[in-house]
Amino acid sequence: MSQEQTHKSLDEINQSVEVPSVYETSFVQKFLAYSGPGALVAVGYMDPGNWLTSLSGGSQYRYSLLSVLLMSILVAMFMQTLSIKLGVVARLDLAQAIAQKVPKAGRYTLWIINELAMMATDMTGVVGTAIALKLLFGLPLLYGILFTIFDVLLVLLFLRFGIRRIEFIVLTAILIVGVIFGVEVSRATPNLAQIAGGLLPTPKILTNHEMLIMSLGIVGATIMPHNVYLHSSLAQSRRYDYHNPAQVNEALRFAKWDSNVHLVAAFLINALLLVLGGTLFFHTNGHLSAFQDVYNGLKNSAIVGNLASPLMSTLFAFALLITGMISSITSTLSGQIVMEGYLHIRLPLWERRLLTRFVTLIPILAIGFLVGFNDHDFEQIIVYAQIALSIALPFTLFPMVALTSNHDLMGIHTNQRYVTMIGYLLTTIITVLNLQFVIAAF
């Protein structure tokens, strides 16, 4: 299949946003025009799975795992840069590019692996949203889970606005969540010197088994396959003359700016969560294990001192609700990319969303009835969802490094040898760590 014969990735938004010409000079104007896809990708790094690992890591080891979070985001930046390059230069998303290189059996196998990963991502959003609804409105988890079916309507409503407005909505949500946690952390008055020390890696992470497991959980929750697929498609949403080498170079430049700025924002929000857990709950002997614990703790002066107030706990639950619902947009788009790229099946987004949600709800409801819809048990679902993402990750990163190192596909933008070596090295390390995570988990 040639490149010209391939359907455009996310056809309804492909090349839908006009950007300034390469001959215009305003950096700010160009940055704003290209800014947006990075926000959609970054929100995936702030879903309830990231919340749980960051909060638990802080409550158990205070600020020591900030270094793990920092390294994970740096690796994510590297991988997202390769994803952007594939989309901008080859005009293909990752699923389309892989599908052109592997036989039919390989396409179906990779589709199944990634479809399971998409379901795991969706499961995290469902559980997080249901828990947030329970915290805010006292809605039983069963009804909260069923209520998430209706976020199909939310996604469809957003998509009717066009990709530019979706990007603005998501960026606004990120800013709101960032402000909420910024306020809560500033009122908690953390020790800034200890936070700075936590950014430096410590050998204890490798020698302390429980600390290593938590570190691997942060890695698994931070570097997710669906975001790599998503960015390779969203990078194509800008309309410019891609036959002009100078314009392609500029698109790569500003897409990377967009990605890195928003990933820094994602890092800061996750770091704030970890600091919040470490500042407020470390002295509770690391017994923080659930969103309910944090919600209750933020109202308890015996735990958080002068910070305690119903407003702080309500803001926490509201932020959880926002990220749980917004992440459903990106999981829908990622699912569409994977299905169309590997199977060449194009479904309307509402059908795709309903299919994914119903398939996700079946195991969630089955587990729920078995455990009596217990909060703690449901949060273990989030943990196991991160394991599923970890398992799928090597099947995403190895092909992406190989494809962006293919001169026939990438031309003058082929990875330099050192970039390829770094890509394979990082992917191998992640694979080994994730295998250890899976083995330890079971």
Side-chain angles (χ1 to χ4, degrees):
M1 183 188 302
S2 70
Q3 230 173 278
E4 297 301 324
Q5 293 172 312
T6 303
H7 285 292
K8 290 180 179 179
S9 179
L10 294 180
D11 191 39
E12 61 272 24
I13 64 173
N14 196 286
Q15 298 182 52
S16 63
V17 180
E18 188 173 358
V19 294
S21 163
V22 68
Y23 303 107
E24 298 181 43
T25 58
S26 173
F27 177 90
V28 173
Q29 183 183 5
K30 290 180 179 180
F31 174 77
L32 292 175
Y34 280 97
S35 182
L40 284 169
V41 171
V43 79
Y45 294 103
M46 298 180 291
D47 69 5
N50 293 80
W51 280 47
L52 198 59
T53 53
S54 294
L55 285 167
S56 297
S59 68
Q60 293 180 47
Y61 305 108
R62 203 156 204 175
Y63 312 131
S64 299
L65 297 184
L66 281 171
S67 60
V68 176
L69 185 58
L70 176 60
M71 288 185 289
S72 297
I73 284 291
L74 291 176
V75 174
M77 286 181 176
F78 178 88
M79 296 302 176
Q80 292 297 341
T81 296
L82 297 186
S83 177
I84 290 168
K85 187 159 67 170
L86 180 65
V88 171
V89 175
R91 309 300 300 173
L92 296 168
D93 64 49
L94 182 58
Q96 291 172 332
I98 294 175
Q100 290 189 7
K101 301 294 183 180
V102 299
K104 191 173 184 179
R107 284 197 291 118
Y108 286 145
T109 301
L110 288 171
W111 170 71
I112 292 172
I113 291 171
N114 283 284
E115 195 66 44
L116 291 172
M118 301 301 165
M119 291 176 188
T121 302
D122 202 42
M123 187 178 294
T124 298
V126 168
V127 173
T129 300
I131 292 174
L133 290 171
K134 179 182 178 182
L135 297 178
L136 286 170
F137 308 110
L139 193 67
L141 282 180
L142 172 60
Y143 298 122
I145 291 167
L146 294 175
F147 180 81
T148 61
I149 295 174
F150 295 102
D151 76 5
V152 176
L153 301 177
L154 178 67
V155 174
L156 292 175
L157 177 64
F158 282 177
L159 290 174
R160 287 180 65 88
F161 294 156
I163 190 63
R164 197 66 174 144
R165 288 183 176 85
I166 294 174
E167 291 168 353
F168 177 77
I169 291 169
V170 171
L171 178 59
T172 302
I174 292 173
L175 291 174
I176 291 172
V177 172
V179 169
I180 288 173
F181 290 130
V183 169
E184 295 194 340
V185 169
S186 64
R187 290 195 60 190
T189 60
N191 187 308
L192 296 181
Q194 290 182 357
I195 290 174
L199 293 171
L200 301 176
T202 169
K204 188 178 179 182
I205 294 173
L206 298 177
T207 57
N208 183 318
H209 179 71
E210 294 301 321
M211 198 174 187
L212 175 62
I213 296 303
M214 182 57 68
S215 299
L216 297 176
I218 290 175
V219 172
T222 303
I223 308 168
M224 296 174 288
H226 79 284
N227 270 341
V228 178
Y229 282 94
L230 181 63
H231 217 160
S232 64
S233 179
L234 293 178
Q236 302 174 52
S237 63
R238 270 44 187 173
R239 184 168 69 252
Y240 54 86
D241 182 7
Y242 56 85
H243 296 295
N244 181 341
Q247 187 74 67
V248 171
N249 286 333
E250 183 163 278
L252 286 171
R253 176 190 173 200
F254 281 97
K256 291 174 185 176
W257 267 103
D258 170 52
S259 176
N260 289 336
V261 166
H262 286 101
L263 286 179
V264 167
F267 164 73
L268 291 176
I269 290 176
N270 278 288
L272 287 172
L273 278 165
L274 194 146
V275 169
L276 188 68
T279 303
L280 300 182
F281 301 100
F282 180 68
H283 59 276
T284 62
N285 297 319
H287 289 158
L288 174 69
S289 61
F291 294 128
Q292 182 78 54
D293 293 342
V294 181
Y295 181 79
N296 292 335
L298 287 170
K299 294 187 291 185
N300 188 343
S301 59
I303 296 177
V304 300
N306 294 332
L307 178 64
S309 77
L311 175 62
M312 289 295 102
S313 59
T314 299
L315 287 175
F316 173 84
F318 179 65
L320 177 61
L321 180 64
I322 289 176
T323 54
M325 296 182 73
I326 291 295
S327 64
S328 68
I329 297 176
T330 59
S331 63
T332 297
L333 296 175
S334 302
Q336 182 184 357
I337 292 165
V338 167
M339 176 175 284
E340 291 182 0
Y342 283 123
L343 301 186
H344 307 148
I345 296 176
R346 300 170 66 83
L347 293 177
L349 274 180
W350 69 271
E351 290 185 13
R352 167 72 211 179
R353 185 63 184 157
L354 277 177
L355 176 64
T356 302
R357 181 49 50 90
F358 279 124
V359 172
T360 303
L361 288 181
I362 292 171
I364 291 179
L365 291 173
I367 294 171
F369 283 112
L370 285 174
V371 302
F373 291 94
N374 177 274
D375 285 34
H376 180 267
D377 291 329
F378 262 102
E379 286 174 359
Q380 293 307 302
I381 294 178
I382 294 180
V383 174
Y384 286 112
Q386 306 313 309
I387 296 174
L389 295 177
S390 298
I391 293 171
L393 199 54
F395 298 95
T396 299
L397 298 186
F398 277 118
M400 186 176 66
V401 175
L403 286 165
T404 51
S405 301
N406 185 322
H407 187 270
D408 292 337
L409 184 65
M410 303 300 295
I412 62 172
H413 296 284
T414 303
N415 291 339
Q416 296 185 43
R417 184 179 296 274
Y418 79 90
V419 173
T420 301
M421 292 177 64
I422 292 173
Y424 281 132
L425 176 63
L426 290 175
T427 305
T428 301
I429 292 172
I430 291 169
T431 303
V432 172
L433 293 178
N434 284 332
L435 285 173
Q436 291 182 12
F437 182 35
V438 172
I439 292 169
F442 289 101

